[in-house]
Amino acid sequence: MRPFPRPNTSLVQTSALARVRFKPVMHLMGGESLGLVADEPVEFEERVSFGPAAQDGGTHSAAKWLAGRIERVASATCNAGQTHRPIMVAAPMACLADPDTAAACDAAVRRTILCQQEFCLMFSDAAFAGDPADSTARIARLRRAGFRVGIDMRYSWQTPLSESFRILIDTIRVDADALEVSNELCDVVEVAQAAGILVVADHANWRDGDYLSQLGVAGAVAPNTDA
């Protein structure tokens, strides 16, 4: 019987890199670049959890999955000639509970031509719903490895920004529309801005730069131009 041909590895890798999409992060007042957001269509939590695909040991670990994402993003960044930094990369909630996350991500970056500080690992606000002290210790491990760490507060904003926690966070991502209806989120942004944390907003318009700046929002993800 004729054996099945081996898959073309280069085509598989090219396809994976093509799924990485970049969005610019721009300063709303000065117009300069504040970095990039790297998006992929599938998150760790959305993987198949039953059948043969669930037995894939290479992606079963959240730490290994994130390490693979970092390598893909690094390769796609270089292939696309993207030079703006830092690169915001969404990180699964499960990575905070995985003791191997910092080491796995550190090893992944060392296999690329980029450096750890060029990445900002973005965890959802829900990831910090547990013990604040425990979250602080886990984030500290990533910071010691050289990574920036951020919080995605586009859908919820319950993370308490304690003094010890604030010094570990580099970036907070919010939704500009939510700022108009939530005084609580505005308070969070004000605290973050006072602590030197970069706050960037989705669905922001260039024309609203002055208003958002007064709230504490410095940048925007792919800001909309005036109609």
Side-chain angles (χ1 to χ4, degrees), residues 163-178:
E163 183 176 353
S164 59
F165 196 73
R166 290 197 298 266
I167 62 176
L168 298 174
I169 299 301
D170 181 86
T171 302
I172 288 179
R173 187 177 179 184
V174 301
D175 190 304
D177 295 333

Side-chain angles (χ1 to χ4, degrees), residues 128-139:
F128 305 102
D131 183 0
D134 189 44
S135 296
T136 300
R138 291 171 178 174
I139 292 299

Side-chain angles (χ1 to χ4, degrees), residues 121-133:
L121 305 180
M122 300 295 297
F123 293 91
S124 70
D125 173 70
F128 305 102
D131 183 0

Side-chain angles (χ1 to χ4, degrees), residues 4-16:
F4 289 108
R6 297 183 62 182
N8 189 319
T9 304
S10 62
L11 290 179
V12 173
Q13 292 175 342
T14 301
S15 176

Side-chain angles (χ1 to χ4, degrees), residues 14-173:
T14 301
S15 176
L17 298 185
R19 293 198 298 267
V20 180
R21 293 288 183 266
F22 295 103
K23 297 177 183 177
V25 182
M26 309 297 295
H27 196 286
L28 282 168
M29 299 301 292
E32 65 269 22
S33 171
L34 295 175
L36 293 169
V37 170
D39 285 331
E40 288 187 294
V42 179
E43 296 299 326
F44 177 80
E45 292 85 356
E46 298 169 342
R47 299 175 308 118
V48 175
S49 58
F50 54 87
Q55 305 304 317
D56 184 0
T59 58
H60 187 67
S61 161
K64 291 181 180 179
W65 189 91
L66 179 57
R69 164 168 282 185
I70 287 174
E71 287 194 77
R72 290 191 300 275
V73 168
S75 296
T77 300
C78 296
N79 288 350
Q82 296 283 359
T83 58
H84 300 300
R85 303 290 187 271
I87 308 167
M88 296 166 58
V89 179
M93 292 175 55
C95 283
L96 279 182
D98 194 324
D100 298 326
T101 295
C105 292
D106 178 70
V109 173
R110 292 177 186 275
R111 292 191 289 269
T112 75
I113 63 173
L114 302 187
C115 301
Q116 289 83 351
Q117 61 265 31
E118 295 181 77
F119 291 91
C120 183
L121 305 180
M122 300 295 297
F123 293 91
S124 70
D125 173 70
F128 305 102
D131 183 0
D134 189 44
S135 296
T136 300
R138 291 171 178 174
I139 292 299
R141 286 200 294 267
L142 290 169
R143 292 305 303 260
R144 285 195 296 269
F147 292 99
R148 304 169 189 248
V149 178
I151 308 176
D152 186 345
M153 291 188 174
R154 288 176 295 166
Y155 309 108
S156 66
W157 40 90
Q158 303 303 314
T159 301
L161 295 179
S162 63
E163 183 176 353
S164 59
F165 196 73
R166 290 197 298 266
I167 62 176
L168 298 174
I169 299 301
D170 181 86
T171 302
I172 288 179
R173 187 177 179 184

Side-chain angles (χ1 to χ4, degrees), residues 193-204:
Q193 190 269 342
I197 298 172
L198 172 66
V199 182
V200 300
D202 283 42
H203 305 130

